[in-house]
Amino acid sequence: HPLLKQRTDRPEIATGRSAQVSVQHGVAVLLLFGDATLARYTDACVNDPAVAAMRRRIADRRCLPTCKNVSTSQSSLSVAI
């Protein structure tokens, strides 16, 4: 859907509720803790300095349907390590 990237590209969040729609948060907790269970979508986890720092290192590079000559298989997420 054309709005998917716009609505899920959210590295700067403050609540567990907003984490539910942040692709950066999901990837960050998976990398840091090895899972993305419900316990990782709490206000406390969102505001953990290590999680917040990792979220900022994740760039959403998914291509929207408006991108020309790029297939969805060429879309990616980048993590600066």
Side-chain angles (χ1 to χ4, degrees):
H1 191 275
L3 295 175
L4 184 62
K5 183 178 187 320
Q6 176 185 338
R7 295 196 175 160
T8 61
D9 186 10
R10 299 178 182 201
E12 298 299 327
I13 56 174
T15 67
R17 185 172 177 94
S18 60
Q20 294 173 16
V21 291
S22 168
V23 71
Q24 286 88 353
H25 185 79
V27 172
V29 296
L30 186 60
L31 290 172
L32 290 170
F33 304 111
D35 65 61
T37 62
L38 291 177
R40 306 297 181 202
Y41 292 85
T42 62
D43 291 353
C45 187
V46 165
N47 293 298
D48 178 312
V51 175
M54 182 62 79
R55 277 197 311 266
R56 288 189 293 273
R57 298 173 77 177
I58 298 169
D60 185 348
R61 303 205 189 288
R62 289 178 288 177
C63 187
L64 300 175
T66 56
C67 296
K68 295 180 179 168
N69 302 319
V70 178
S71 71
T72 55
S73 64
Q74 292 173 310
S75 299
S76 65
L77 289 172
S78 298
V79 181
I81 301 198

